[in-house]
Amino acid sequence: MAHPPDIYSDNTLQEWLDAVLKSNKGIKLDFKTIESVGPSLDILKKKALESGINRPVWLNADILHGPNVPGFIEVVNATSFLNLIQEKFPNATISPGWQVLYVSLLPNKTYTRAMVEDMYELLKNVTQKVTFPIRAVMGKNAWPHFKWLLEQSPSYSLTLWQEKDDPVTVEDLLFIRDNSQPDQIYYDIYDPVLSAFKEVAFQPNRSRRFYSGGNLIDYFKPRNSDGIYIQWHSIDNRITLMTLLKEGDSGMIVVPVGETQSNPGVPTVDGSDVDFQLQECLDLILVSPKPWGIYLKIKSQELLSPSLALLKHLNERKFLYNPTWINMDVSYGRFATPGYIGGDQFIKEINKVFPYVTIAPGWPKELLVQGYTKPLVEDMTSLFKGLWQEVSYQLQAVPLGKSLLAIQMLQQSSPRHSLTVEHQLEQGSYMTGYKGLILVRGRNTDKVFYNLHKDYSSNFARDVFTS
C-alpha cells in the first residue's frame, strides 16, 4: 500500500483490510497500475467470502487523460480495469477518473466536453454505481459538462477531491452543491475549507449560487414546472429598471443592448434618454435580492463580444449567479440575410468569450411572411445541433400561427432546446398573436416560455386556465 510519489510500503493490502474492517470506515482502493488490480481484487473477493465486507467498497483508477496532461503519460488501461472489476469483484462502486495536472502559477485548462463524453462512452453500460473523481479546483468552469454527465444516469455521482495546495474556495464548492442534488456530490476536501463550506452550506435562507447557463424552470421553480408562470419584463432606461426592481417580484428582464454616438462600441441600454451603460444595468440587477434572469437583446454584432466580456468579468468576480440569455437574430443557410450576424460567428464568439449562457437565436424578421417554414426550421436546428449549452429558439407569435409543423420540429430537436414566444404591442393586438400562442401550448410546458406584454400575458393566462 503506497501513494505516489511513494511506490513501496511495508503495509500489505491484507493487513490494511484487516485494520479497516475493525473500524467503521468504508474501503477505497486507488489503483496506480493495471498490474495491481487483479491481485488486489482477488484479495478483496477472498476476504468477502471468508468474513464478509459489510461496508461500501470504491475502486478507483485514472483511466483517461485529463486537463493539462500530455498523451504520453501512462494511465490505467480502461478496458482491462473495468473487465477485471466485472470478473472478480463486481459488488463495488466504480470510481473512474482522469489523470489531471494543475499548477496554480500557470495557465490551466479544465475538463472539456470531449473528455466527459469519452468517459461516458466507457461507463454507459456498467450496472454498478459510478462516482467520477473531479479535481475540485477545476470543477466550476467545467460544470455544464459534469451536469450533463450526472443527467445520464441516476447511478452517477461526483467526488470532488483536492491536492493539499490547490486553491479550492468555499464559493466553488457552494456553486457545485447549489446546481446538483445533495446525494450526487461527495467531498474529499481538506480543512479548513471543508469545515467552512459545511458551515455556510447549511445556513438557512442563504443565496443560491446558480449556474448562469442553467434552466429557467430550475431557477424560478414555477408552479407545475410550467413556463407560463415565469414573468418577462422589458426595460429601456434606468428609471424603468429601478421601478421594476423595487415593485416587481421576479422574472426575466429583457435588456436591449445598443450603443451611443458618444460611446461607440460600449454596450448601453438601447432607448435610454441618458447614457445608461450595460455594466451599471447588470450591477443593479445582480445586487437585488429578488430572483431575476437576464436577457440581453443585442442589436449589432459589434456589441456581442464586449457584452460577453462584461458577463465574463462578473462571473470571474463571483457575482453572476442569475440565468443569462444571449439573443440575436442570425443569418444562416437558407435564411442567410445581409445585415445579420452569421450563425456560425454567433456561436463561435459566445464560446470564445463567455460560453456559460443560454443561447437564444432568432430568424430575420423579413423572412417570416409565410411563417416558420420547414427550410427555416431545418437549417436553424442544424446550426445548433450538438451544442452543450441550453438553446431557446425565439419565435414571434403572429408568424408562429402559420407554423404547426415548425413547432413540432423544434420541440423534437433536442431535450436541451426550448421555445420562447414573443408578442408585444408593436407586433399587433393580442388576438393577432393568439393562434401562435395557443398552438405552442400543447405539450412540454416546461420547455415553452412566453415573452409577452404584461396585458397580453394576463389575457393569455386567463384564456389558458379558464377555457
Side-chain angles (χ1 to χ4, degrees), residues 54 79 121 136 144-145 225 250 259 268 275 280 289-290 296 321 334-335 341 398 404-405 408 417 444:
N54 59 346
T79 302
E121 286 299 315
H145 312 319
S225 296
S250 68
E259 61 186 336
T268 60
D275 192 358
E280 181 187 355
K290 299 175 182 178
L296 299 187
Y321 292 124
R334 284 172 284 183
F335 58 89
I341 188 171
V398 176
L404 179 59
L405 176 62
Q408 295 171 343
H417 294 180
N444 297 332

Side-chain angles (χ1 to χ4, degrees), residues 27-245:
I27 295 169
K28 178 188 175 188
L29 299 184
D30 187 4
F31 298 106
K32 302 303 180 184
T33 66
I34 192 62
E35 291 77 16
S36 64
V37 177
S40 300
L41 296 184
D42 287 336
I43 293 172
L44 265 181
K45 182 178 181 179
K46 182 180 178 182
K47 179 62 68 174
L49 293 173
E50 290 176 350
S51 56
I53 297 179
N54 59 346
R55 63 202 64 214
V57 176
W58 286 17
L59 304 176
N60 168 260
D62 291 340
I63 62 174
L64 288 178
H65 293 91
N68 311 305
V69 173
F72 61 81
I73 299 295
E74 186 175 357
V75 296
V76 174
N77 183 275
T79 302
S80 298
F81 176 64
L82 297 174
N83 286 343
L84 284 168
I85 291 174
Q86 304 304 330
E87 173 191 342
K88 295 177 178 290
F89 200 82
N91 189 24
T93 294
I94 305 175
S95 176
W98 296 262
Q99 182 75 260
V100 177
L101 177 64
Y102 177 86
V103 181
S104 59
L105 298 179
L106 297 177
N108 290 278
K109 297 179 180 179
T110 189
Y111 301 87
T112 66
R113 186 54 166 256
M115 292 175 187
V116 174
E117 289 180 344
D118 287 347
M119 182 66 80
Y120 173 67
E121 286 299 315
L122 291 171
L123 274 297
K124 65 182 180 182
N125 293 322
V126 305
T127 58
Q128 294 95 335
K129 290 185 178 180
V130 180
T131 186
F132 300 96
I134 309 301
R135 196 157 183 173
V137 72
M138 296 178 166
K140 181 182 178 182
N141 285 342
W143 177 247
H145 312 319
F146 293 128
K147 181 174 176 60
W148 173 85
L149 185 60
L150 290 174
E151 291 170 351
Q152 304 312 302
S153 171
S155 298
Y156 289 176
S157 63
L158 305 179
T159 299
L160 303 179
W161 63 275
Q162 175 191 17
E163 289 283 7
K164 191 70 174 176
D165 295 327
D166 284 356
V168 177
T169 68
V170 170
E171 282 290 320
D172 291 341
L173 299 180
L174 289 171
F175 173 85
I176 293 175
R177 180 178 177 83
D178 287 352
N179 290 281
S180 59
Q181 298 301 315
D183 61 352
Q184 291 180 314
I185 311 294
Y186 298 97
Y187 302 89
D188 184 8
I189 303 295
Y190 290 100
D191 276 327
V193 175
L194 183 60
S195 296
F197 162 67
K198 289 179 178 179
E199 182 178 348
V200 178
F202 294 112
Q203 288 178 356
N205 302 319
R206 67 173 179 82
S207 299
R208 183 183 180 191
R209 279 73 169 172
F210 188 78
Y211 166 54
S212 57
N215 185 274
L216 292 193
I217 300 295
D218 183 26
Y219 181 75
F220 290 109
K221 301 189 182 304
R223 189 187 320 167
N224 300 324
S225 296
D226 191 337
I228 199 172
Y229 291 108
I230 298 174
Q231 297 295 308
W232 290 67
H233 314 274
S234 295
I235 63 108
D236 57 10
N237 57 51
R238 188 182 288 103
I239 294 175
T240 55
L241 175 61
M242 296 300 293
T243 301
L244 173 62
L245 296 178

